[in-house]
Amino acid sequence: MAKLPLTLLSIGVSIIVVAICLAAFALQLIGLDGIIPLILTFYGVWLMVVAGIRARIPEKYARGAFSIFAWGILFTALGGSWFLYVIGPERNLLLSIILFIVVFGVLVITAALRSWRK
C-alpha cells in the first residue's frame, strides 16, 4: 500500500484545475479551444510538484521521481505550445514549435546528465 495518498491528491488537483480553466472560460479570459491546453499545462505543473514529493519520499515499487518529472515537463510543453498556437495561430505557430523543441532538448540533456552521474 502507498505511503502517501498521491492518487487521491492528484484527482483533487485535477478537479480544481478543470474548475479554474472553466472559470477562465466563463469570464471570457480564454476561448473554448483554450480549455484543454490550459488543463494540460496546469496538470503538467502538478506532475512536477508530485515529482518533488516523490524525490523526497521515494517508494519501493512506485514510479521514480525523474520519470514523473519528465511526464510533467512534456505535458507542460505540449499544453503551453498548444495554448500559444490557439491564441494566435498566424504568428505563434513557430513559437509553439520552438517552445516544444527547447523543452524536449532540456529533458534530453537532463536525462543524459542523470545517466552520466551514475
Side-chain angles (χ1 to χ4, degrees):
M1 183 165 178
K3 296 176 190 172
L4 295 173
L6 288 178
T7 305
L8 188 59
L9 193 60
S10 292
I11 290 171
V13 169
S14 298
I15 292 169
I16 291 171
V17 163
V18 169
I20 289 171
C21 292
L22 289 175
F25 171 70
L27 294 172
Q28 296 178 349
L29 298 174
I30 60 173
L32 186 61
D33 52 354
I35 294 173
I36 294 176
L38 275 184
I39 290 172
L40 279 176
T41 304
F42 289 147
Y43 197 72
V45 171
W46 168 247
L47 284 177
M48 289 187 266
V49 171
V50 168
I53 294 170
R54 186 67 71 199
R56 284 190 135 322
I57 308 169
E59 292 185 20
K60 189 172 183 179
Y61 296 110
R63 183 176 293 274
F66 180 75
S67 175
I68 296 171
F69 185 78
W71 278 105
I73 202 116
L74 286 174
F75 271 42
T76 303
L78 180 66
S81 61
W82 188 2
F83 186 72
L84 280 176
Y85 177 74
V86 164
I87 62 172
E90 61 279 348
R91 57 196 154 144
N92 290 331
L93 177 61
L94 185 59
L95 288 176
S96 298
I97 294 169
I98 290 171
L99 172 69
F100 193 74
I101 291 172
V102 166
V103 169
F104 189 71
V106 168
L107 187 60
V108 169
I109 289 171
T110 306
L113 291 176
R114 183 175 177 261
S115 66
W116 184 32
R117 189 176 49 156
K118 289 184 177 181

